[in-house]
């Protein structure tokens, strides 16, 4: 192949090309059509020149799958949980400087004990020094520990009130319930492109308690949004279970315990993200705010299948819809507000390997302009590949054709149709050009374990990722930074 010959020639030039090799890789890759990579040629690539390890402390440094870069690219925010499931035992949100590796503590949970409250999965505002993250409920104890339905969204404004936690979503678990407040736990928070909305996944405490009492399947994960500028006041039990919040919160996906086989009903909505910085462009030229997410349905034969769904979100989310009250009842989940339109985007049931994969765990993510929504699924050889589909629906595009599976999450480059992802224990990138994927380029050497949660800086000059490394006989999740020498939009 011409591609392999050109790359070999470049690599023989040695150290004098180190500073520009990454840009050359992407420029060359952008001119070629997608195809399988030969394993031999992959392993001929040199070690990455502009890669450095930012963190070295004998603790974990978890980057959010929504990215960790500050708006100016000088910081990467993370949590320090001991292990993935142990967020309830983690009291700290920290950040590391991308230039001098200096570490600062952003937030410490007050009253932390072995049962909670806990915190984690922090993400920056797109252009302000504001950080949102999960925090458990303040009265964490042995009988009421951190749980899926016992968490909320807290924000630290580093300029106005550094170190101080501000509740974003209101919580009210005692009837009569409060419109604009939810009754459970929000998770995986991410700002919209304008910074005035926050998306999340949600589990309902009232339904969790009813499920425990009745044995019926009622504690269903769904997707929701918060809108800033409309604070919600909650009275009663505010020192234990309840709290007021800075945002008006609703769910935007309808879920049911037992979906009708062959229908578009879903029992679970999860792994969500905003579509585009401003939504997706409609036929009339306007932009529609929306959340994309995975939904679990049943096929006509009764088998469970995961597909991609989207919910269009109206500007006014304060009016209850025909399916029920936005605040819910003692026996019913909160319902989406009037104007939310939920629809299915993918139909993979006829594929050799139908559905969107749950392993590796990933979050659907959209390009900045909202043109593409990416997800992971198996190709006809049973290999996990990266796919993308339009928010308007239609036939998905298979972006990668590797001979081994994509191993982790992926991330779109801001302002571009380039996406970075993990395969063969390396970070790769490819670009969609004229509706077709270009040849992928390997950006790092092949590590002994696979990189985790790669994310692009907002100016596109850096990619950060987690990597598990051995320190004193133990594994710790560290942060690595790949600096790209030139703009890769070429």
């Amino acid at each position: 192949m011409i591609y392999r010959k050109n790359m070999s020639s470049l690599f023989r030039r040695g150290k004098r090309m180190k500073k520009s090799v990454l840009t050359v890789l992407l420029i060359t890759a952008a001119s070629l059509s997608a195809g399988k990579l030969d394993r031999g040629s992959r392993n001929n690539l040199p070690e990455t020149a502009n890669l450095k390890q930012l963190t070295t402390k004998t603790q974990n440094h978890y980057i959010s799958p929504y990215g960790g870069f500050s708006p100016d690219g000088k910081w990467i925010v993370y949590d320090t949980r001991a292990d993935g499931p142990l967020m309830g035992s983690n009291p700290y949100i920290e950040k590391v400087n991308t230039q001098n590796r200096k570490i600062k503590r952003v937030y410490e949970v007050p009253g932390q004990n072995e049962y909670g409250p806990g915190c984690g999965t922090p993400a920056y505002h797109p252009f302000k020094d504001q950080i949102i993250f999960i925090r458990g409920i303040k009265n964490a104890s042995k009988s009421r520990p951190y749980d899926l339905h016992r968490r909320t969204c807290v924000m630290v404004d580093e300029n106005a009130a550094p170190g101080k936690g501000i509740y974003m979503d209101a919580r009210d678990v005692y009837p009569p319930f409060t419109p604009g407040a939810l009754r459970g736990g929000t998770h995986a928070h991410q700002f919209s492109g304008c910074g005035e909305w926050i998306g999340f996944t949600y589990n309902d405490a009232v339904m969790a308690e009813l499920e425990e009492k009745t044995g019926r399947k009622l504690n269903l994960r769904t997707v929701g949004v918060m809108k800033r500028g409309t604070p919600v006041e909650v009275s009663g039990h505010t020192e234990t279970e309840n709290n007021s919040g800075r945002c008006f919160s609703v769910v935007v996906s309808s879920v049911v315990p037992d979906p009708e086989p062959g229908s578009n009903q879903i029992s679970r909505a999860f792994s969500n993200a905003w579509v585009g910085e401003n939504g997706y462009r409609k036929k009339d030229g306007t932009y529609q705010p929306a959340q994309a997410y995975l939904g679990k349905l049943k096929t006509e034969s009764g088998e469970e299948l995961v597909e991609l769904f989207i919910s269009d979100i109206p500007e006014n989310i304060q009016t209850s819809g025909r399916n029920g009250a936005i605040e819910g009842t003692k026996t019913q989940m909160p319902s989406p507000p009037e104007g939310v339109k939920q629809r299915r985007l993918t139909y993979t049931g006829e594929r050799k390997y139908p559905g969107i994969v749950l392993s590796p765990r990933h979050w659907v993510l959209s390009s900045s302009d909202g043109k593409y929504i990416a997800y992971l699924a198996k190709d006809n050889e049973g290999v996990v590949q990266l796919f993308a589909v339009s928010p308007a629906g239609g036939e998905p595009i298979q972006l990668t054709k590797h001979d081994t599976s994509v191993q982790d999450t992926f991330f779109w480059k801001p302002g571009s149709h380039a996406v970075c992802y993990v395969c063969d224990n390396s970070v790769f990138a490819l670009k969609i050009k004229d509706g077709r994927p270009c040849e992928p380029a390997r950006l790092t050497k092949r590590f002994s374990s696979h990189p985790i949660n790669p994310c692009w800086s907002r100016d596109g000059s850096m990619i950060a990722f987690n990597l598990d490394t051995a320190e004193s006989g133990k594994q710790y999740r560290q942060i690595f930074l790949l600096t790209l020498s030139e703009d890769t939009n070429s």
Side-chain angles (χ1 to χ4, degrees), residues 55-370:
T55 61
T56 57
K57 292 173 64 177
T58 53
Q59 66 174 46
N60 287 326
H61 309 77
Y62 276 75
I63 300 175
S64 165
Y66 298 114
F69 278 100
S70 61
D72 60 9
K74 292 181 179 179
W75 298 92
I76 297 172
V77 68
Y78 58 89
D79 68 67
T80 62
R81 74 188 91 158
D83 195 11
L86 302 179
M87 199 179 303
S89 62
N90 174 54
Y92 305 126
I93 302 294
E94 296 180 345
K95 63 180 183 177
V96 60
N97 190 283
T98 57
Q99 298 171 346
N100 59 23
R101 297 182 174 91
K102 183 178 180 180
I103 288 176
K104 288 186 177 180
R105 183 158 294 167
V106 173
Y107 180 75
E108 180 175 356
V109 176
Q112 179 69 31
N113 62 68
E114 61 180 307
Y115 305 107
C119 64
T121 319
Y124 262 101
H125 188 282
F127 48 86
K128 295 181 180 180
D129 291 328
Q130 297 176 346
I131 299 169
I132 52 174
F133 49 90
I134 299 166
R135 214 207 76 170
I137 306 305
K138 62 173 72 75
N139 66 336
S141 64
K142 185 176 182 178
S143 62
R144 292 180 176 272
Y146 173 92
D147 207 333
L148 301 181
H149 56 273
R150 288 182 49 77
R151 49 191 181 180
T152 185
C153 180
V154 165
M155 183 183 78
V156 168
D157 189 323
E158 296 188 287
N159 293 324
K164 180 182 178 182
I166 302 167
Y167 286 109
M168 300 304 283
D169 53 327
R171 187 176 194 266
D172 185 1
V173 298
Y174 298 98
F177 305 112
T178 304
L182 294 175
R183 307 107 49 93
T186 61
H187 160 258
H189 308 102
Q190 84 274 183
F191 280 110
S192 63
C194 66
E196 294 305 307
W197 296 77
I198 298 171
F200 56 87
T201 49
Y202 174 72
N203 285 81
D204 192 272
V206 175
M207 293 295 101
E209 184 176 339
L210 190 58
E211 177 177 287
E212 188 174 345
K213 290 179 179 178
T214 64
R216 291 185 291 140
K217 185 181 177 183
L218 298 170
N219 182 14
L220 309 175
R221 174 160 289 191
T222 189
V223 170
V225 299
M226 310 176 198
K227 187 176 183 180
R228 303 180 72 173
T230 307
V232 175
E233 295 293 327
V234 175
S235 60
H237 307 280
T238 54
E239 295 304 314
T240 53
E241 292 286 324
N242 290 349
N243 59 265
S244 299
R246 295 285 185 90
C247 303
F248 195 96
S249 305
V250 295
V251 302
V252 294
S253 176
S254 295
V255 290
V256 297
D258 296 299
E260 181 182 343
S263 74
N264 290 332
Q265 293 179 337
I266 56 176
S267 61
R268 178 180 171 90
F270 58 105
S271 296
N272 60 307
W274 290 103
V275 177
E277 291 185 351
N278 301 301
Y280 66 89
R281 190 171 184 177
K282 299 192 294 185
K283 291 182 179 180
D284 62 5
T286 62
Y287 281 84
Q288 173 63 56
Q291 279 269 310
Y293 49 90
L294 300 181
K296 184 176 289 186
L297 50 75
K298 283 186 179 180
T299 64
E300 290 184 358
S301 61
E303 296 179 352
E304 289 189 335
L305 191 67
V306 175
E307 298 281 11
L308 180 63
F309 286 76
I310 190 171
S311 285
D312 293 346
I313 301 167
E315 184 66 25
N316 175 20
I317 58 171
Q318 298 184 29
T319 304
S320 293
R322 58 185 177 182
N323 293 328
I326 56 174
E327 69 270 25
T329 70
K330 290 188 289 185
T331 58
Q332 184 181 21
M333 283 268 288
S335 295
E338 182 70 28
V340 169
K341 297 178 181 179
Q342 177 175 325
R343 53 194 169 87
R344 178 176 170 182
L345 290 181
T346 60
Y347 294 81
T348 66
E350 299 304 315
R351 292 178 59 88
K352 183 177 180 181
Y353 296 94
I356 296 173
V357 299
L358 297 181
S359 180
R361 186 183 185 188
H362 67 284
W363 284 254
V364 300
L365 291 179
S366 165
S367 57
S368 297
D369 61 0

Side-chain angles (χ1 to χ4, degrees), residues 471-482:
E471 303 284 347
S472 304
K474 294 183 179 180
Q475 291 285 330
Y476 295 100
R477 187 153 295 184
Q478 304 292 359
I479 298 175
F480 287 73
L481 183 68
L482 175 65

